[in-house]
Amino acid sequence: MTRLCPLCECSTYQDFKVLDHRVIVKCQACEFVYTNSYSSKALKEHYKKRYYSSSTDPRIEQWINDKERTFKGLVISVVKAFAKDITSLLDIGCGTGGFLMSFSKQSPKTQLFALEQSNDAIESLKRRMPSLIFKGAHSNDLKGDDQLYDVITLLQCLEHVENPQSLCDDIYNSLKPNGMLFVTVPNRKSYKVFLEGLEKEDMCYGDETHLQFFTKKHIRQVLQNSGFSKIVCLRDFGRSESRGIMSLIQFVFRLLGISTELRFVAFK
Ligand SMILES: [Zn+2]
């Protein structure tokens, strides 16, 4: 099976790399790197191994605690970038909800919504945040829904989906006028990929559940295609697990565009 480039729909590509169950190619027109074919069965197995295998998996609690500083930092960035009261926020691919819990602590008046595919994640999060409203599993569930949001967050999610363009299109349609998307993805041009190599590093290519591989240019491309404007790459200092000198190094990497994660905001 051959897929068209998810971003520019070009049908010609060059071989890039075969990693575990994924055949990864590079679009000849726009140079986007994407998974052309993969094993659905292997993908399912990798999700279980890497994330959680039940709603009471102890890794859920640990993940939320380990990432507390990052979630807090993300909340500060979202609030600062929107610069107005946020009355409604939808988190797509909320996982076990570390970000949403942190958000509700810092902005208790915001009505929070979530999209999530994993029943285990939903079950676990429903116990922690009974007031959270689930809108479904996929962005398809947003179609035909009249609800519009001030802010939609898409944290480490776009690299997992089969069609990132249609997800961004759906997000655009679900935002209020002047609404904001906050998106983070692994950076395929990070220092880690460069130093450790495609097979060894595990934040971008090395995660067997990742299907799309973004650079700054390609995030801009996918957002522009959907109609977004005022697309800005965020390079704030800190707002992650790093402390001390590591925060400074991370900040320099962000300025150079070689950080492990890319953070963007875009407006409707
Ligand atoms: Zn392309």
Side-chain angles (χ1 to χ4, degrees), residues 162-174:
E162 282 223 15
N163 194 336
Q165 190 62 67
S166 86
L167 173 54
C168 289
D169 293 350
D170 290 341
I171 289 172
Y172 186 85
N173 293 330
S174 295

Side-chain angles (χ1 to χ4, degrees), residues 3-170:
R3 297 186 61 209
L4 300 178
C5 169
L7 264 51
C8 77
E9 298 189 332
C10 172
S11 61
T12 53
Y13 56 81
Q14 60 195 74
D15 295 338
F16 187 77
K17 191 88 187 165
V18 177
L19 283 175
D20 44 75
H21 67 107
R22 301 161 296 166
V23 178
I24 300 170
V25 298
K26 188 191 241 184
C27 170
Q28 277 193 331
C30 76
E31 298 187 316
F32 183 57
V33 173
Y34 63 97
T35 301
N36 195 32
S37 64
Y38 64 90
S39 153
S40 305
K41 191 172 165 241
L43 187 67
K44 239 186 201 168
E45 290 301 313
H46 283 298
Y47 265 108
K48 274 197 173 171
K49 238 189 277 170
R50 202 169 258 276
Y51 294 94
Y52 20 78
S53 52
S54 74
S55 74
T56 53
D57 192 321
R59 284 178 295 179
I60 295 174
E61 193 77 39
Q62 198 185 343
W63 173 260
I64 292 169
N65 291 336
D66 288 354
K67 292 270 170 192
E68 202 186 342
R69 272 167 64 88
T70 298
F71 291 133
K72 240 185 199 169
L74 288 167
V75 172
I76 294 168
S77 291
V78 169
V79 169
K80 194 180 154 207
F82 194 62
K84 281 174 284 182
D85 282 344
I86 301 174
T87 55
S88 55
L89 180 145
L90 168 71
D91 189 27
I92 296 182
C94 68
T96 46
F99 169 76
L100 285 170
M101 283 188 280
S102 188
F103 199 94
S104 79
K105 259 189 225 157
Q106 291 180 67
S107 181
K109 283 188 183 158
T110 305
Q111 196 170 18
L112 297 174
F113 302 84
L115 272 190
E116 175 54 46
Q117 285 188 46
S118 158
N119 287 328
D120 292 333
I122 293 171
E123 219 178 286
S124 158
L125 187 50
K126 272 185 176 165
R127 284 197 295 267
R128 290 164 210 267
M129 283 185 80
S131 64
L132 181 64
I133 300 164
F134 283 92
K135 300 295 278 191
H138 302 275
S139 66
N140 260 340
D141 295 324
L142 299 175
K143 290 188 175 111
D145 184 4
D146 292 338
Q147 174 102 36
L148 297 176
Y149 306 91
D150 281 335
V151 173
I152 295 180
T153 49
L154 190 63
L155 309 174
Q156 300 277 337
C157 175
L158 202 57
E159 66 276 18
H160 290 271
V161 301
E162 282 223 15
N163 194 336
Q165 190 62 67
S166 86
L167 173 54
C168 289
D169 293 350
D170 290 341

